[in-house]
Amino acid sequence: MRTWIRSLSPFDAPRTQAWLGRLADPREAERFIRLYHAENPGAGGPEARLREVAREIARTGTYTHTADELVFGARVAWRNSSRCIGRLYWRSLRVRDRRDVSTAEGVALECVAHLREATGGGRIRPTVTVLAPDAPARPGPRILNDQLIRYAAHRSRDGGVTGDPRNLWLTDLARTLGWRGSAGGRFDVLPVIIQPGLGDPLLCHLPGDAVLEVPLAHPDYGWFAELELRWHAVPAISDMCLEIGGVCYPCAPFNGWYMGTEIGARNLADHDRYDLLATVAERLGLDTSTERSLWRDHALVELNVAVLHSFERAGVTMTDHHTESRRFLTHLAKEEKAGRVCPADWSWIVPPMSGSATPVFHRYYDTSVLTPSFVHHR
């Protein structure tokens, strides 16, 4: 089989993942190498590198990115993320090259280090940690949590849930793997569940100094602090694959910083999450007997005011949806000026609160799918 692959023209070979597992797609490799050299003229022409990559794929079924290619590929993957409104600063992404780490224990240490470095004492730094890639007959490690920091969901005897209902399955899995949990609080941090390429999954318990949390208070309502709400500072996505030039890095946790509505209009407000609108409305004294009072809208605004106020008071980086909408259009204009397509998913780019009051609402976007990219595992 390997002899047959070597006999093919490297960049015209058909897709062979189904034959040998996770092989690097030669055509994707070529496209990426040409893109890298086109946007980095100081690296010279691509021909020598193309030949080198072709030989390596023919010999091993995959190839190794240079350090510069990895940094460029990770940053462009963020640039291509159609669901992210905060891409203006894609060039500032810090890339932690940890491709030599493949064991569950090593991944656990890197997850903790990632959070400590990305948190920056509250000055959140966009960061990605790239761990071992998939290769033929040698799968890379994976993280089963969708974010490094997630709050547990505790089932009660009456059928209710204390905590974040989104994470019921993750909490159950953690308990199956030996997590004893806590007394059943609303904001109990779950362990990170790491699945190595070979072997059993490992629970990584995050130390307290790696998880910065912000207690929520309202600038005008003292009672808001009595709700004892809080949220963590770093939204580190951890279950997506970083695909660069036909190579899949299945374990590449990455983060930017929060936009306030992600917490105030979704995590804390959604009916299938913390579902706090009725609680806030009641404390505000609003008429919840009729939808015409717009009590949900009023409570939603005050909840978001509390989130923005609390993060600012704590000195933790956060942006609001009006500012970030304007920044996204600045990014869009820059990409168009550079002659590049800027893909965007309208349903994700438009904020979940006051959408029509933001400039991103009133236009359509290119929906092309570009690579490199962050994608969900196939």
Side-chain angles (χ1 to χ4, degrees):
M1 182 65 74
R2 288 189 178 275
T3 302
W4 173 73
I5 288 179
R6 280 199 292 270
S7 70
L8 295 171
S9 174
F11 289 115
D12 293 327
R15 295 180 185 274
T16 53
Q17 270 96 342
W19 289 80
L20 289 179
R22 177 66 74 174
L23 304 185
D25 187 329
R27 291 171 295 185
E28 291 295 330
E30 180 180 18
R31 276 193 284 269
F32 171 68
I33 296 301
R34 292 192 182 280
L35 177 67
Y36 171 77
H37 283 267
E39 295 196 26
N40 296 274
E47 300 307 324
R49 179 60 175 149
L50 287 173
R51 289 192 295 270
E52 181 181 354
V53 168
R55 287 193 297 267
E56 190 174 356
I57 292 176
R59 186 176 67 254
T60 68
T62 188
Y63 69 105
T64 302
H65 293 119
T66 67
D68 289 341
E69 288 169 354
L70 182 73
V71 170
F72 173 76
R75 289 174 176 171
V76 172
W78 185 15
R79 186 177 82 190
N80 289 338
S81 297
S82 63
R83 292 182 171 184
C84 179
I85 194 174
R87 288 175 269 167
L88 178 60
Y89 306 108
W90 65 273
R91 295 181 187 275
S92 69
L93 180 66
R94 297 175 66 250
V95 180
R96 303 177 70 246
D97 185 352
R98 301 295 188 270
R99 286 176 288 174
D100 59 333
V101 176
S102 60
T103 65
E105 293 80 2
V107 172
L109 292 174
E110 291 302 334
C111 288
V112 173
H114 177 113
L115 287 173
R116 286 172 173 157
E117 293 182 26
T119 301
R123 188 176 180 180
I124 310 302
R125 305 162 181 166
T127 303
V128 61
T129 297
V130 185
L131 295 125
D134 276 344
R138 193 181 71 247
R142 284 164 168 75
I143 295 172
L144 302 188
N145 310 52
D146 63 331
Q147 291 193 20
L148 292 183
I149 304 172
R150 276 303 192 197
Y151 294 123
H154 305 287
R155 302 175 190 270
S156 58
R157 293 180 179 178
D158 62 3
V161 174
T162 299
D164 191 345
R166 177 192 180 105
N167 300 321
L168 272 171
W169 74 272
L170 190 62
T171 305
D172 289 344
L173 178 58
R175 291 189 186 281
T176 299
L177 294 173
W179 184 58
R180 296 182 179 179
S182 65
R186 289 188 296 168
F187 299 97
D188 297 332
V189 176
L190 282 165
V192 178
I193 304 176
I194 300 163
Q195 176 64 62
L198 298 172
D200 297 326
L202 174 75
L203 294 182
C204 168
H205 300 273
L206 297 174
D209 69 311
V211 182
L212 176 61
E213 294 179 285
V214 177
L216 303 185
H218 194 285
D220 300 320
Y221 302 116
W223 54 260
F224 197 97
E226 298 172 6
L227 300 177
E228 298 183 326
L229 305 176
R230 62 179 184 266
W231 206 260
H232 57 88
V234 180
I237 306 298
S238 53
D239 68 340
M240 298 186 77
C241 172
L242 171 59
E243 288 194 352
I244 303 174
V247 176
C248 171
Y249 297 95
C251 191
F254 66 95
N255 71 274
W257 49 71
Y258 269 118
M259 186 167 72
T261 52
E262 294 178 80
I263 301 171
R266 298 302 309 276
N267 298 342
L268 296 177
D270 280 358
H271 181 67
D272 58 350
R273 301 293 297 284
Y274 280 83
D275 194 21
L276 288 169
L277 291 186
T279 300
V280 173
E282 180 182 354
R283 297 299 293 265
L284 288 167
L286 302 178
D287 178 8
T288 60
S289 66
T290 173
E291 297 294 350
R292 292 165 97 53
S293 69
L294 300 184
W295 63 269
R296 298 179 196 276
D297 308 72
H298 190 164
L300 187 66
V301 169
E302 298 303 342
L303 188 53
N304 279 270
V305 167
V307 169
L308 290 169
H309 164 75
S310 301
F311 271 67
E312 183 176 19
R313 185 180 65 172
V316 176
T317 306
M318 171 174 278
T319 186
D320 65 87
H321 52 294
H322 296 285
T323 299
E324 207 58 44
S325 294
R326 292 193 298 271
R327 287 175 178 170
F328 178 73
L329 292 187
T330 298
H331 167 69
L332 186 63
K334 287 186 174 182
E335 290 301 293
E336 290 174 345
K337 185 177 180 180
R340 293 192 290 261
V341 171
C342 180
D345 184 332
W346 190 94
S347 65
W348 281 73
I349 296 299
V350 174
M353 185 176 79
S354 306
S356 63
T358 63
V360 294
F361 179 90
H362 304 280
R363 58 164 297 158
Y364 295 102
Y365 300 97
D366 192 304
T367 57
S368 301
V369 178
L370 305 179
T371 57
S373 60
F374 288 100
V375 299
H376 285 286
H377 301 299
R378 288 189 288 269

